[in-house]
mmCIF file of all heavy atoms in Angstrom:
data_model
loop_
_atom_site.group_PDB
_atom_site.id
_atom_site.type_symbol
_atom_site.label_atom_id
_atom_site.label_comp_id
_atom_site.label_asym_id
_atom_site.label_seq_id
_atom_site.Cartn_x
_atom_site.Cartn_y
_atom_site.Cartn_z
ATOM 1 N N LEU B 118 -5.489 -30.354 21.313
ATOM 2 C CA LEU B 118 -4.822 -31.142 20.281
ATOM 3 C C LEU B 118 -5.762 -32.195 19.721
ATOM 4 O O LEU B 118 -6.661 -32.655 20.406
ATOM 5 C CB LEU B 118 -3.589 -31.833 20.878
ATOM 6 C CG LEU B 118 -2.548 -30.891 21.447
ATOM 7 C CD1 LEU B 118 -1.399 -31.681 22.052
ATOM 8 C CD2 LEU B 118 -2.047 -29.940 20.363
ATOM 9 N N PRO B 119 -5.536 -32.573 18.484
ATOM 10 C CA PRO B 119 -6.357 -33.634 17.914
ATOM 11 C C PRO B 119 -5.956 -34.988 18.472
ATOM 12 O O PRO B 119 -4.849 -35.162 18.982
ATOM 13 C CB PRO B 119 -6.062 -33.558 16.418
ATOM 14 C CG PRO B 119 -4.788 -32.843 16.289
ATOM 15 C CD PRO B 119 -4.607 -31.993 17.497
ATOM 16 N N ARG B 120 -6.878 -35.929 18.377
ATOM 17 C CA ARG B 120 -6.613 -37.281 18.806
ATOM 18 C C ARG B 120 -5.728 -37.941 17.773
ATOM 19 O O ARG B 120 -5.945 -37.837 16.578
ATOM 20 C CB ARG B 120 -7.953 -38.018 18.916
ATOM 21 C CG ARG B 120 -7.890 -39.482 19.170
ATOM 22 C CD ARG B 120 -9.243 -39.927 19.715
ATOM 23 N NE ARG B 120 -10.335 -39.372 18.926
ATOM 24 C CZ ARG B 120 -10.761 -39.927 17.793
ATOM 25 N NH1 ARG B 120 -10.216 -41.009 17.331
ATOM 26 N NH2 ARG B 120 -11.757 -39.378 17.125
ATOM 27 N N ARG B 121 -4.682 -38.581 18.235
ATOM 28 C CA ARG B 121 -3.830 -39.323 17.293
ATOM 29 C C ARG B 121 -3.935 -40.790 17.632
ATOM 30 O O ARG B 121 -3.560 -41.212 18.704
ATOM 31 C CB ARG B 121 -2.376 -38.880 17.426
ATOM 32 C CG ARG B 121 -2.165 -37.492 16.884
ATOM 33 C CD ARG B 121 -0.698 -37.168 16.744
ATOM 34 N NE ARG B 121 -0.454 -35.734 16.883
ATOM 35 C CZ ARG B 121 -0.889 -34.815 16.046
ATOM 36 N NH1 ARG B 121 -1.569 -35.159 14.995
ATOM 37 N NH2 ARG B 121 -0.653 -33.546 16.245
ATOM 38 N N GLY B 122 -4.434 -41.557 16.690
ATOM 39 C CA GLY B 122 -4.547 -42.989 16.915
ATOM 40 C C GLY B 122 -5.523 -43.299 18.036
ATOM 41 O O GLY B 122 -6.248 -42.432 18.512
ATOM 42 N N VAL B 123 -5.529 -44.542 18.446
ATOM 43 C CA VAL B 123 -6.441 -44.981 19.488
ATOM 44 C C VAL B 123 -5.607 -45.408 20.677
ATOM 45 O O VAL B 123 -4.721 -46.245 20.550
ATOM 46 C CB VAL B 123 -7.284 -46.171 18.982
ATOM 47 C CG1 VAL B 123 -8.243 -46.629 20.061
ATOM 48 C CG2 VAL B 123 -8.028 -45.776 17.719
ATOM 49 N N THR B 124 -5.873 -44.798 21.817
ATOM 50 C CA THR B 124 -5.063 -45.154 22.977
ATOM 51 C C THR B 124 -5.353 -46.587 23.398
ATOM 52 O O THR B 124 -6.390 -47.154 23.073
ATOM 53 C CB THR B 124 -5.354 -44.234 24.175
ATOM 54 O OG1 THR B 124 -6.718 -44.407 24.515
ATOM 55 C CG2 THR B 124 -5.071 -42.791 23.838
ATOM 56 N N GLU B 125 -4.423 -47.112 24.155
ATOM 57 C CA GLU B 125 -4.526 -48.517 24.530
ATOM 58 C C GLU B 125 -5.778 -48.762 25.368
ATOM 59 O O GLU B 125 -6.495 -49.733 25.169
ATOM 60 C CB GLU B 125 -3.274 -48.904 25.322
ATOM 61 C CG GLU B 125 -2.980 -50.393 25.274
ATOM 62 C CD GLU B 125 -1.781 -50.695 26.152
ATOM 63 O OE1 GLU B 125 -0.817 -49.894 26.128
ATOM 64 O OE2 GLU B 125 -1.825 -51.696 26.866
ATOM 65 N N SER B 126 -6.029 -47.840 26.288
ATOM 66 C CA SER B 126 -7.176 -48.061 27.167
ATOM 67 C C SER B 126 -8.471 -48.075 26.369
ATOM 68 O O SER B 126 -9.384 -48.837 26.679
ATOM 69 C CB SER B 126 -7.216 -46.974 28.248
ATOM 70 O OG SER B 126 -7.358 -45.708 27.656
ATOM 71 N N VAL B 127 -8.546 -47.258 25.335
ATOM 72 C CA VAL B 127 -9.753 -47.247 24.512
ATOM 73 C C VAL B 127 -9.866 -48.548 23.743
ATOM 74 O O VAL B 127 -10.928 -49.180 23.682
ATOM 75 C CB VAL B 127 -9.739 -46.043 23.547
ATOM 76 C CG1 VAL B 127 -10.852 -46.161 22.525
ATOM 77 C CG2 VAL B 127 -9.845 -44.741 24.317
ATOM 78 N N GLU B 128 -8.752 -48.974 23.181
ATOM 79 C CA GLU B 128 -8.739 -50.227 22.420
ATOM 80 C C GLU B 128 -9.182 -51.381 23.326
ATOM 81 O O GLU B 128 -10.011 -52.213 22.953
ATOM 82 C CB GLU B 128 -7.321 -50.458 21.887
ATOM 83 C CG GLU B 128 -7.226 -51.514 20.801
ATOM 84 C CD GLU B 128 -7.981 -51.097 19.530
ATOM 85 O OE1 GLU B 128 -7.565 -50.146 18.838
ATOM 86 O OE2 GLU B 128 -9.007 -51.748 19.239
ATOM 87 N N GLN B 129 -8.647 -51.362 24.526
ATOM 88 C CA GLN B 129 -8.981 -52.411 25.486
ATOM 89 C C GLN B 129 -10.465 -52.396 25.828
ATOM 90 O O GLN B 129 -11.126 -53.432 25.832
ATOM 91 C CB GLN B 129 -8.182 -52.182 26.767
ATOM 92 C CG GLN B 129 -7.355 -53.366 27.171
ATOM 93 C CD GLN B 129 -6.419 -52.990 28.311
ATOM 94 O OE1 GLN B 129 -6.679 -52.041 29.055
ATOM 95 N NE2 GLN B 129 -5.329 -53.706 28.433
ATOM 96 N N ALA B 130 -10.956 -51.198 26.068
ATOM 97 C CA ALA B 130 -12.367 -51.061 26.419
ATOM 98 C C ALA B 130 -13.243 -51.542 25.279
ATOM 99 O O ALA B 130 -14.223 -52.262 25.495
ATOM 100 C CB ALA B 130 -12.676 -49.608 26.759
ATOM 101 N N LEU B 131 -12.877 -51.181 24.052
ATOM 102 C CA LEU B 131 -13.646 -51.612 22.877
ATOM 103 C C LEU B 131 -13.738 -53.129 22.864
ATOM 104 O O LEU B 131 -14.799 -53.707 22.605
ATOM 105 C CB LEU B 131 -12.940 -51.141 21.606
ATOM 106 C CG LEU B 131 -13.307 -49.764 21.085
ATOM 107 C CD1 LEU B 131 -12.410 -49.389 19.927
ATOM 108 C CD2 LEU B 131 -14.759 -49.740 20.639
#
Side-chain angles (χ1 to χ4, degrees):
Chain B
L118 300 178
R120 172 161 46 83
R121 289 192 209 295
V123 180
T124 62
E125 204 184 319
S126 61
V127 170
E128 195 65 68
Q129 236 171 24
L131 271 173

